[in-house]
Amino acid sequence: MAERADAAGIKKAAALIRAGGVVAFPTETVYGLGADGLDPKACARVFEIKGRPRFDPLILHERSAVRARRLFSRVPAAAARLMKKFWPGPLTLVLPKAAVVPDIVTAGLKTVAVRVPANPAALALIKAAGRPIAAPSANRFGRLSPTTAAHVKKQLGRGPDLILDGGKTAIGVESTIITFKRGRPMLLRPGGLPLEEIEKIAGPAAAAGKSVGKPLAPGCLKKHYAPKAKLRILGPGRAGKPGTRAAYLAFSKRPAGKYAAVAVLSRTGDLREAAANLFGALHRLENSGARVIYAEQVPPHGLGRAIMDRLRRAAA
Ligand code: TXA
Ligand code: MG
């Protein structure tokens, strides 16, 4: 069932969340699959609908920095500056959790991921629900992320109790995830807020490196965001092989040759526009029935870092 994200739709969605239901809703990054973040049973349904392993923790969404802070037990000074500057916005902070946060949300970790989304429908939903909303991206585990209500429907079908349709999301890639180590910021996932912006406020980021054994963000697996077709990243100056079973993801210029489908991320070569169009383009190329998708590289700074991260994982 889908409803427009207007006052009536939001009211219905909030009632469902309060009753332990699961609702897909728009944020400024991608659509989330939301449930009452303080209700372990409701959160368990999110894992089931998504087909997500229980070791992969969820993000809690709050409607203000003041409320979000209550979900943490300790906040370093530089993290407080980031909240002040970038919330609401596409930034998730991972910090020591407060006692109210259920273990299922954090997958047993002592830290919790929290953000305040910059989307009026999302904020209104959190407010009407009256509690933090736990939400991963509203896709099947490991698959392409959703930037429209139709993308959610394609992958999750009748899984969620309601899909709130707020149109295409503005930023189009997930939030940037930052944690702190001895007062220094560390990048766990590149995303909608460029690392350069974060470093201006919080100082230079420590290299995330590879921790021994388990990954730092448990969900940042090598293979992720995968379309059904095989994705091949083209090295500089390399061309794809045109054909009826091949699709092409271009950064700014159409490729030579005939493909089953072609998507251009930004005609002006604008990385923000390219990020906003990324998942929509991949969904479309996937729907073309192509067996291989050739993808061009984009400049690896600003939002390009998040785009290249998603392409590399999709190709893994
Ligand atoms: O933009 C976004 O962040 C979207 C929208 C819906 O808010 N959400 C999203 O959630 O991308 P999800 O679950 O698809 O990705 C969250 C990532 C996962 O890789 C998870 O492992 C990581 O955050 N994460 C969550 N809690 C963590 C924690 N305590 N420590 C380290 N990583 C954590
Ligand atoms: Mg995800």
Side-chain angles (χ1 to χ4, degrees):
M1 183 178 40
E3 292 253 350
R4 277 196 18 223
D6 55 14
I10 288 165
K11 197 170 160 204
K12 201 163 173 181
L16 281 166
I17 298 261
R18 295 175 76 99
V22 175
V23 170
F25 66 100
T27 79
E28 82 280 34
T29 57
V30 300
Y31 275 71
L33 187 65
D36 180 342
L38 303 180
D39 176 353
K41 258 170 126 178
C43 292
R45 266 196 73 210
V46 170
F47 283 91
E48 274 159 34
I49 294 170
K50 216 182 131 84
R52 180 176 184 132
R54 289 283 182 95
F55 62 74
D56 191 357
L58 307 176
I59 296 177
L60 288 180
H61 297 69
E62 255 300 0
R63 65 181 165 98
S64 71
V66 171
R67 284 173 174 265
R69 273 186 89 132
R70 295 185 195 146
L71 301 167
F72 296 131
S73 61
R74 212 155 22 83
V75 176
R81 291 202 299 276
L82 291 178
M83 294 176 184
K84 195 154 177 253
K85 176 86 182 168
F86 296 116
W87 278 352
L91 169 70
T92 294
L93 292 173
V94 170
L95 295 171
K97 81 178 196 77
V100 290
V101 177
D103 282 334
I104 188 170
V105 168
T106 65
L109 296 175
K110 291 193 171 66
T111 54
V112 63
V114 179
R115 81 180 194 97
V116 180
N119 174 293
L123 292 171
L125 176 63
I126 299 164
K127 185 167 184 195
R131 58 205 74 192
I133 294 184
S137 50
N139 52 289
R140 298 270 323 159
F141 180 68
R143 300 280 318 283
L144 289 177
S145 299
T147 54
T148 65
H151 295 159
V152 177
K153 208 156 171 212
K154 176 169 105 176
Q155 286 190 21
L156 301 182
R158 298 170 72 84
D161 298 309
L162 180 73
I163 300 174
L164 265 188
D165 188 346
K168 181 182 165 187
T169 62
I171 291 185
V173 288
E174 290 87 346
S175 60
T176 303
I177 306 182
I178 294 285
T179 191
F180 281 82
K181 214 173 151 186
R182 282 183 233 101
R184 274 185 80 183
M186 199 160 86
L187 180 68
L188 295 183
R189 176 178 73 184
L193 182 66
L195 183 62
E196 293 88 335
E197 301 287 310
I198 291 166
E199 291 187 314
K200 272 187 222 158
I201 304 295
K210 285 199 186 71
S211 63
V212 217
K214 63 180 177 193
L216 287 163
C220 282
L221 304 175
K222 198 163 167 236
K223 183 166 183 68
H224 202 151
Y225 312 109
K228 283 187 195 140
K230 202 167 169 52
L231 192 120
R232 288 237 172 87
I233 299 175
L234 296 170
R238 287 299 190 87
K241 253 204 212 120
T244 51
R245 302 309 299 267
Y248 196 98
L249 182 70
F251 176 40
S252 60
K253 278 199 295 282
R254 290 186 70 86
K258 215 167 153 51
Y259 289 90
V262 171
V264 179
L265 290 177
S266 167
R267 290 187 183 287
T268 56
D270 176 51
L271 286 168
R272 273 175 198 280
E273 187 185 14
N277 289 330
L278 176 69
F279 282 116
L282 285 170
H283 278 281
R284 200 155 59 69
L285 298 182
E286 168 181 272
N287 291 346
S288 76
R291 263 192 293 225
V292 56
I293 298 172
Y294 295 103
E296 289 179 1
Q297 304 196 38
V298 306
H301 53 79
L303 281 178
R305 202 190 301 267
I307 297 174
M308 284 312 300
D309 170 76
R310 305 305 186 265
L311 289 179
R312 272 192 215 103
R313 290 180 206 278

